[in-house]
């Protein structure tokens, strides 16, 4: 390699490592700065409140400070609580807080007194984004409250420090490259780990070590030609990468981010807007069945059983009906195939929640179409479809079969098109029966197309929220709920987002296993 | 008072309310779910406010009901939400816990509180604070078809006695949302049952509540009411003449087909206890976002929308069951029989609990009611509700 190219490569590697280090260092800096800022501003307001509590004028600059009296509840309306206020540094006269014309700042000290009575002394930022802090502390005859003035703003980003460290690092890396030999990776590692020093001061040993490891890793990789290969590949596929980039970025934002957030939430417990880390508790609670019997709809394993049964029944019906109809549509004697095909695809074309709502209405016990038909046929009167598990489950399956068979039919039609006619002709010449032709020619040719369709269809059915939620609504007593509707109930009926996220993770793992297994099986079948 | 006079009065009140707050040109944004006459009236009120306060412009934003609560909970913490919004009181507990709504007792003095019927204001008090000012109240009342019923029942015994005659004509005496807790609540409270005890703890599985559920089962078993009815079916049955009476609220009026002769009266007394059947009360209120930009101006608007002249206008034009006592002195409002009935019913209502736990009660209770109406044991079913609310499903 020519000398200038070697130096360029060294600086390039140093730049890449430094970029990662810079990201880590900036994140650490902002966390550090916000913590400092918070502590400083809260300390300022707290000091002012403490001074007021001692009867002195407030230290530092404040918007408003003084002593708020305990509440006096209105006789007629106990929730109207009147308070009076003595402003610090004023003439010592008490004035009433509140009323329709009260000044804006009074509301802050009034609310602070209420919060003090609920949770004790505190100092905290106002939620209005102004950067002001309210602090309250006990004193004789009430609560001492101080509202700080808006702060001048947090520390600036330390550009000078960074430029100094970066310049030094670049010089080290360059020097290493010029000296060559063992100095080359050494210079790279030292030059790229310069940011570890300010990071250590801001955020301690952990992020600093991380930066050091990044620098070492890049230096090690550069020594083995790893970075050359990496950047070479980047340059070679520049066009392809630029085409992929928008999709990759949107996938990262729209798919990967919610996915990771969902995974993480599963380890937390949500209660009235606060999140508490509980480790694997949610998963343990779900997988142990929550202390319920196995035949209780609240038990995870019961719901899983229903879900699996639901999936198996549906997919079996979808495939059987779809293949049967596809075979029928292939018959030579059938006239108006186009019309039939269109009609049969129609259930697929209608949004499934609309179909689900229509079926729900048809299953209504007193005026529903299905009971009217049963009544006419003399098969029963006023069947209450959603009052027992078997009928409610049947209603769900019927609805979802209606929704699901067109897909399988379309897949089967496509696969049937691709079977060479002469195979059938040869079989006919050999005297094969219709069943033998189906079993030995049609079925083996359908399998490669139906395999992936079955895997996909089973995943859709496993997570078929709309039908369950709209048709049976889990009735009776939640026993026809499947895993995904159960997860919904945890999130939106009980506000237990952590449990819902854990549920979602479990569903994901089950489906992941099934997909891996399913693809393997279908691949094996397609192979011979 | 003439309409012009009314507007003048409203303007005068508004002017006095704003005189005390410094003009800060932030404007006030209000989200609501109104449509039809309610929306027109609100827009008229906003227009007269804006005429008097060009510096504190009130902007109305109509938001679909289905998306309303979710939009609020995601928009307010990010500072993109409204300054004020109109909603029923029953979410106050959850919103207060999440610091989405601003307590307003600071600005409210006794003269303001005295404007409203006590029963309409109390639902807005939660945990020693006041969270909004009431616009109107909603509760169930007894609708009946005057072509089928001449004297509506005053007791539940009279109600049950009407069933054989109604059955003979091939119809039900009473349709109501029997499997929903909202529809069942009048019997629950009429029998002396409750959902939360006075100290706020869950208190579902009581002998009184079991008796109420037993009564609901009797209504179905005796053919007084159809089995498994929801709100939608109640409207259909009543409109088609298949039910002579229906328990429903002010929103029901729009669902009754033209040509059906109807009237509305208060709920009957429960014969077994001698207590009035008491439906849930929801207070529709103006609430303030905790991130409102100019809270003083927002409160001035809040106070203006719920003051007496505004209430008269809302009662007259939108037929709201307004919360203001003085509004019912207005001759037009006093002459409105429907409003008078719902106002009488207000004295026999129970505010829908605003505590966040209530959200976990609805569905288990509904499942229990379905079980009971199908013949299940009331005591067991209600114990199941308590168990599920406390321990999760």
């Amino acid at each position: 390699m020519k000398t200038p190219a070697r130096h360029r490569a060294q600086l390039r590697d140093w730049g890449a490592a430094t970029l990662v280090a810079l990201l880590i260092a900036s994140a650490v800096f902002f966390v550090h700065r916000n913590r400092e800022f918070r502590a400083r501003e809260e300390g300022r307001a707290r000091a002012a409140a403490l001074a007021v509590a001692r009867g002195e004028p407030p230290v530092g600059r404040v918007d408003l400070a003084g002593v708020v009296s305990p509440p006096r509840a209105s006789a007629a309306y106990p929730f109207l609580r009147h308070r009076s206020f003595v402003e610090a540094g004023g003439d010592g006269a008490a004035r009433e807080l509140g009323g329709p014309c009260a000044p804006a700042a009074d509301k802050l000290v009034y609310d602070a007194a209420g919060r003090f009575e609920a949770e004790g002394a505190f100092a905290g930022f106002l939620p209005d984004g102004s950067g002001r802090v309210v602090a309250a502390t006990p004193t004789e005859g009430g609560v001492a409250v101080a509202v700080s003035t808006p702060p001048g703003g947090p520390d600036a980003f330390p550009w000078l420090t960074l430029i100094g460290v970066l310049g030094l690092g670049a010089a080290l890396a360059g020097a290493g490259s010029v000296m060559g030999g063992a100095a080359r990776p050494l210079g790279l590692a030292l030059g790229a780990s310069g940011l570890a020093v300010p990071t250590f001061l801001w955020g301690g040993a952990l992020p600093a070590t991380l930066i050091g490891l990044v620098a070492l890793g890049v230096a090690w990789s550069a020594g083995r030609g790893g970075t050359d290969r990496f950047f070479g590949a980047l340059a070679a596929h520049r066009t392809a990468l630029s085409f992929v980039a928008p999709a990759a970025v949107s996938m990262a934002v729209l798919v990967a981010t919610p996915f990771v957030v969902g995974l993480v939430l599963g380890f937390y417990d949500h209660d009235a807007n606060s999140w508490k880390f509980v480790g694997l508790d949610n998963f343990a609670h779900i997988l142990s069945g929550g202390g319920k019997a196995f035949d209780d709809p609240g038990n995870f394993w019961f719901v899983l059983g229903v879900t699996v049964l639901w999936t198996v029944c549906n997919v079996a019906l979808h495939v059987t009906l779809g293949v049967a109809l596809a075979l029928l549509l292939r018959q030579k004697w059938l006239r108006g195939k186009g019309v039939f095909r269109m009609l049969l695809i129609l259930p697929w074309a209608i949004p499934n929640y609309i179909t689900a709502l229509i079926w729900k209405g048809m299953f209504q016990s007193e005026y529903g179409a299905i009971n009217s038909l049963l009544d006419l046929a003399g098969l029963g009167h006023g069947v209450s479809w959603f009052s027992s598990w078997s009928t409610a489950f049947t209603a769900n399956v019927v609805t979802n079969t209606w929704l699901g068979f067109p897909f399988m039919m379309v897949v089967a039609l496509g696969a049937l098109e691709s079977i060479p006619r002469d195979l059938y002709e040869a079989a006919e010449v050999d005297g094969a029966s219709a069943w033998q032709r189906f079993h030995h020619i049609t079925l083996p040719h359908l399998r490669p197309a139906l395999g992936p369709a079955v895997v996909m269809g089973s995943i859709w059915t496993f997570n078929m929220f709309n039908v369950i939620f709209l048709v049976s609504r889990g009735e009776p007593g939640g026993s026809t709920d499947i895993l995904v509707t159960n997860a919904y109930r945890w999130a939106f009926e009980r506000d237990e987002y952590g449990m819902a996220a854990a549920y979602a993770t479990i569903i994901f793992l089950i489906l992941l296993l099934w997909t891996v297994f399913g693809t393997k099986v279908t691949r094996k079948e397609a192979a011979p | 008072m003439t309409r012009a006079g009314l507007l003048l009065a409203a303007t005068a009140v508004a002017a006095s309310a704003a005189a005390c707050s410094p003009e800060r040109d932030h404007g006030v944004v209000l989200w609501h779910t109104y449509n039809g006459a309610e929306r027109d009236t609100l827009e008229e009120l906003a227009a007269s406010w804006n005429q008097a306060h060009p510096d504190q412009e009130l902007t109305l934003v109509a938001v679909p009901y289905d998306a309303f609560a979710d939009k609020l909970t995601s928009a307010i913490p990010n500072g993109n939400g409204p300054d004020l919004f109109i909603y029923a009181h029953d979410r106050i507990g959850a919103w207060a816990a999440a610091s989405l709504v601003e307590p307003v007792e600071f600005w409210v003095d006794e003269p303001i509180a005295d404007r409203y019927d006590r029963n309409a204001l109390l639902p807005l008090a939660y945990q020693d604070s006041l969270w909004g000012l009431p616009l109107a109240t909603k509760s169930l009342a007894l609708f009946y078809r005057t072509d089928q019923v001449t004297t509506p029942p005053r007791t539940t015994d009279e109600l049950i006695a009407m069933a054989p005659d109604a059955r003979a004509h091939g119809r039900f005496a009473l349709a109501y949302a029997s499997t929903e807790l909202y529809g069942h609540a009048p019997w629950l409270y009429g029998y002396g049952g409750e959902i939360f005890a006075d100290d706020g703890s869950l208190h579902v599985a009581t002998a009184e509540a079991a008796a109420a559920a037993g009564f609901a089962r009797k209504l179905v078993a005796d053919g007084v009411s159809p089995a498994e009815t929801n709100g939608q079916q109640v409207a259909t049955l009543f409109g088609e003449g298949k039910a002579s009476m229906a328990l429903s609220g002010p929103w029901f009026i729009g669902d009754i087909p033209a040509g059906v002769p109807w009237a509305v009266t208060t709920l009957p007394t429960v014969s077994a206890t001698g207590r009035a059947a008491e439906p849930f009360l929801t207070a529709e209120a103006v609430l303030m976002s905790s991130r409102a930009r100019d809270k003083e101006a927002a409160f001035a608007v809040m106070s203006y929308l719920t003051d007496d002249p505004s209430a008269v206008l809302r009662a007259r034009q939108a037929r709201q069951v307004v919360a203001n006592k003085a509004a019912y002195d207005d001759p037009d409002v006093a002459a409105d029989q429907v409003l008078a009935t719902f106002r009488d019913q207000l004295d026999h209502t129970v505010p829908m609990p605003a505590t966040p736990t209530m959200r976990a009660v609805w569905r288990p209770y509904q499942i229990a009611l379905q079980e009971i109406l199908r013949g299940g044991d009331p005591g067991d079913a209600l114990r199941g509700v308590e168990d599920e609310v406390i321990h999760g499903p």
Side-chain angles (χ1 to χ4, degrees):
Chain A
M1 205 187 283
K2 280 198 298 199
T3 318
R6 275 184 44 201
H7 297 332
R8 255 208 311 278
Q10 172 85 339
L11 280 182
R12 178 202 66 201
D13 294 347
W14 171 82
T18 303
L19 194 67
V20 177
L22 197 58
L23 284 177
I24 299 173
S26 308
V28 170
F29 170 76
F30 282 115
V31 169
H32 158 80
R33 185 191 69 174
N34 289 349
R35 204 190 298 133
E36 292 271 285
F37 174 70
R38 178 171 286 270
R40 193 177 65 217
E41 289 302 315
E42 286 178 356
R44 208 154 69 84
R46 197 177 285 121
L50 283 170
V52 171
R54 289 191 300 269
E56 299 162 11
V59 289
R61 284 171 305 129
V62 290
D63 264 6
L64 188 65
V67 177
V68 185
S69 75
R72 300 181 311 278
S74 152
Y77 306 100
F79 46 85
L80 297 185
R81 291 163 302 147
H82 302 294
R83 296 174 189 277
S84 54
F85 179 64
V86 180
E87 190 163 348
D91 54 8
R95 62 183 163 92
E96 278 297 295
L97 287 176
C101 285
D106 279 10
K107 169 87 163 133
L108 301 176
V109 293
Y110 180 92
D111 285 348
R115 181 168 163 196
F116 169 83
E117 280 145 19
E119 57 189 61
F122 71 91
F125 281 86
L126 287 173
D128 61 2
S130 66
R132 290 180 297 171
V133 175
V134 179
T137 190
T139 184
E140 221 174 302
V143 191
V145 176
V147 183
S148 67
T149 48
D155 297 348
F157 196 71
W159 291 112
L160 271 178
T161 316
L162 286 182
I163 290 170
V165 171
L166 293 187
L168 198 65
L172 269 172
S177 184
V178 170
M179 285 164 73
R184 190 177 148 87
L186 191 68
L188 179 55
L190 278 179
S193 54
L195 279 172
V197 179
T199 307
F200 177 75
L201 295 178
W202 294 326
L206 196 71
T209 317
L210 198 62
I211 289 177
L213 286 177
V214 169
L216 279 177
V218 171
W220 180 74
S221 167
R224 298 163 56 98
T227 52
D228 284 340
R229 279 196 299 280
F230 177 74
F231 286 102
L234 270 191
H237 301 293
R238 201 164 40 212
T239 321
L241 285 172
S242 66
F243 277 117
V244 172
V249 169
S250 49
M251 287 288 276
V253 172
L254 299 173
V255 178
T257 314
F259 179 76
V260 171
V261 171
L263 281 185
V264 172
L265 287 192
F267 297 100
Y268 283 80
D269 180 40
H270 176 251
D271 186 30
N273 238 28
S274 69
W275 293 90
K276 204 175 93 217
F277 183 78
V278 292
L280 289 168
D281 277 8
N282 291 336
F283 294 93
H285 183 260
I286 291 170
L287 294 178
S288 68
K292 304 275 174 126
F294 276 104
D295 60 350
D296 188 302
N299 187 312
F300 167 79
W301 300 101
F302 179 88
V303 185
L304 179 63
V306 171
T307 313
V308 170
L309 187 66
W310 154 258
T311 312
V312 170
C313 287
N314 272 301
V315 174
L317 282 168
H318 294 172
V319 172
T320 322
L321 256 176
V323 170
L325 287 168
L327 287 173
L328 208 61
L329 281 175
R330 290 264 297 172
Q331 298 304 313
K332 289 201 188 80
W333 48 265
L334 192 72
R335 299 270 156 249
K337 277 178 198 157
V339 176
F340 281 119
R341 196 157 44 207
M342 198 200 70
L343 284 178
L344 286 170
I345 292 177
L346 217 54
W348 196 20
I350 297 173
N352 61 13
Y353 65 93
I354 292 185
T355 311
L357 285 173
I358 292 173
W359 278 94
K360 166 89 179 164
M362 294 207 290
F363 280 114
Q364 210 275 333
S365 72
E366 296 199 26
Y367 321 99
I370 293 179
N371 275 2
S372 305
L373 284 176
L374 286 178
D375 211 5
L376 275 180
L379 287 173
H381 175 74
V383 180
S384 186
W385 282 91
F386 303 111
S387 64
S388 82
W389 183 85
S390 53
T391 48
F393 187 77
T394 310
N396 284 341
V397 172
V398 168
T399 308
N400 198 45
T401 303
W402 170 265
L403 281 168
F405 78 82
F407 172 70
M408 292 296 175
M409 188 188 79
V410 170
V411 171
L413 271 177
L416 287 175
E417 279 315 319
S418 67
I419 305 178
R421 291 267 167 190
D422 45 356
L423 281 180
Y424 289 103
E425 282 157 17
E428 243 166 290
V429 170
D430 287 345
S433 69
W435 167 251
Q436 280 172 324
R437 288 202 299 272
F438 173 74
H439 190 244
H440 293 291
I441 301 174
T442 315
L443 218 49
H445 279 89
L446 278 179
R447 251 185 215 149
L450 278 180
V454 165
V455 173
M456 205 149 65
S458 55
I459 291 175
W460 288 342
T461 312
F462 200 90
N463 275 343
M464 181 41 93
F465 179 85
N466 288 0
V467 168
I468 304 288
F469 190 73
L470 294 173
V471 177
S472 82
R473 305 189 135 265
E475 282 180 41
S479 59
T480 51
D481 266 328
I482 58 174
L483 289 175
V484 66
T485 52
N486 231 356
Y488 172 89
R489 294 197 197 290
W490 277 111
F492 300 107
E493 284 177 7
R494 306 181 195 114
D495 289 339
E496 295 263 13
Y497 294 101
M499 286 292 279
Y503 244 93
T505 305
I506 292 175
I507 294 173
F508 166 73
L509 290 178
I510 293 173
L511 290 179
L512 184 71
L513 276 179
W514 166 235
T515 317
V516 170
F517 172 77
T519 352
K520 231 171 226 168
V521 169
T522 47
R523 215 176 269 154
K524 211 174 274 170
E525 273 187 4
Chain B
M1 209 191 283
T2 64
R3 172 115 164 239
L6 195 77
L7 282 181
L8 234 149
T11 317
V13 170
S16 71
C20 53
S21 78
E23 309 270 327
R24 251 177 301 173
D25 214 6
H26 274 306
V28 175
V29 176
L30 180 142
W31 286 8
H32 66 94
T33 60
Y34 284 160
N35 46 41
E38 288 189 315
R39 182 175 177 164
D40 295 342
T41 311
L42 187 64
E43 278 167 1
E44 196 178 320
L45 287 170
S48 42
W49 169 269
N50 288 338
Q51 220 168 7
H53 304 90
D55 297 336
Q56 292 180 332
E57 198 187 1
L58 171 59
T59 313
L60 301 179
V61 180
V63 178
Y65 178 78
D66 292 340
F68 200 82
D70 286 341
K71 263 183 182 281
L72 276 180
T73 44
S74 58
I76 289 180
N78 297 327
N80 302 322
D83 300 303
L84 296 174
F85 57 97
I86 296 178
Y87 207 82
H89 79 274
D90 57 298
R91 293 256 192 144
I92 284 176
W95 286 341
S99 302
L100 289 180
V101 283
E102 181 79 17
V104 298
E105 73 271 13
F106 172 77
W107 295 288
V108 178
D109 50 15
E110 277 79 2
I112 293 183
D114 281 336
R115 288 181 193 164
Y116 316 106
D117 195 303
R118 212 181 150 73
N119 289 323
L121 186 63
L122 279 181
L124 298 168
Y126 177 75
Q127 287 184 345
D128 287 340
S129 278
L130 187 70
W131 300 91
L133 295 181
L135 288 166
T137 58
K138 288 184 177 172
S139 74
L140 296 174
L142 182 66
F143 285 78
Y144 61 97
R145 291 181 64 118
T146 48
D147 57 343
Q148 295 179 355
V149 175
T150 43
T151 39
R154 294 322 312 150
T155 65
T156 51
D157 281 351
E158 286 177 38
L159 169 69
I160 292 170
M162 293 167 77
D165 185 49
R167 283 314 269 176
H169 288 90
R171 57 195 185 218
F172 291 105
L174 173 73
Y176 75 106
S178 53
T179 54
E180 289 163 16
L181 176 55
Y182 189 78
H184 178 71
W187 313 137
L188 175 66
Y189 293 111
Y191 271 85
E194 55 189 359
I195 294 171
F196 296 101
D198 290 338
D199 63 357
S201 62
L202 194 70
H203 200 220
V204 166
T206 61
E208 291 84 4
F215 173 75
R217 181 163 64 186
K218 185 176 155 60
L219 287 181
V220 173
D222 291 2
V224 181
S225 301
E228 288 187 40
T229 22
N230 58 34
Q232 179 75 53
Q233 287 154 354
V234 169
T236 314
L237 288 168
F238 188 78
E240 290 176 355
K242 287 177 182 160
S244 306
M245 297 181 281
L247 294 192
S248 201
W251 59 87
F252 190 62
I253 298 168
D255 291 344
I256 303 175
V260 173
W262 61 273
V264 61
T265 183
T266 51
L267 294 184
T269 304
V270 173
S271 304
T273 59
R275 296 166 62 132
E278 297 189 328
F280 275 136
L281 170 73
T282 40
E284 195 165 77
V286 194
L287 309 173
M288 190 189 296
S289 154
S290 57
R291 298 287 302 270
R293 292 160 299 170
D294 182 346
K295 289 178 179 160
E296 289 65 48
F299 181 78
V301 170
M302 202 163 161
S303 173
Y304 160 72
L305 290 176
T306 57
D307 68 11
D308 292 341
S310 303
V312 171
L313 197 70
R314 286 185 285 113
R316 270 200 213 153
Q317 291 182 202
R319 294 189 82 184
Q320 283 188 335
V321 188
V322 293
N324 301 54
K325 286 180 283 196
Y328 293 88
D329 297 335
D330 178 89
D332 284 356
V333 179
D336 191 323
Q337 276 310 305
V338 174
L339 292 191
T341 301
F342 279 106
R343 185 174 151 73
D344 288 346
Q345 187 66 60
L346 182 60
D347 295 333
H348 296 288
T349 52
V350 177
M352 190 185 285
T355 148
T357 318
M358 187 61 195
R359 275 188 80 196
V361 175
W362 294 106
R363 192 179 144 78
Y365 214 108
Q366 180 178 6
I367 291 170
L369 283 173
Q370 285 163 350
E371 266 172 42
I372 294 166
L373 293 185
R374 286 175 199 134
D377 179 63
D380 286 349
L382 292 172
R383 271 189 292 280
V385 174
E386 219 162 73
D387 188 53
E388 176 162 351
V389 174
I390 295 170
H391 303 293

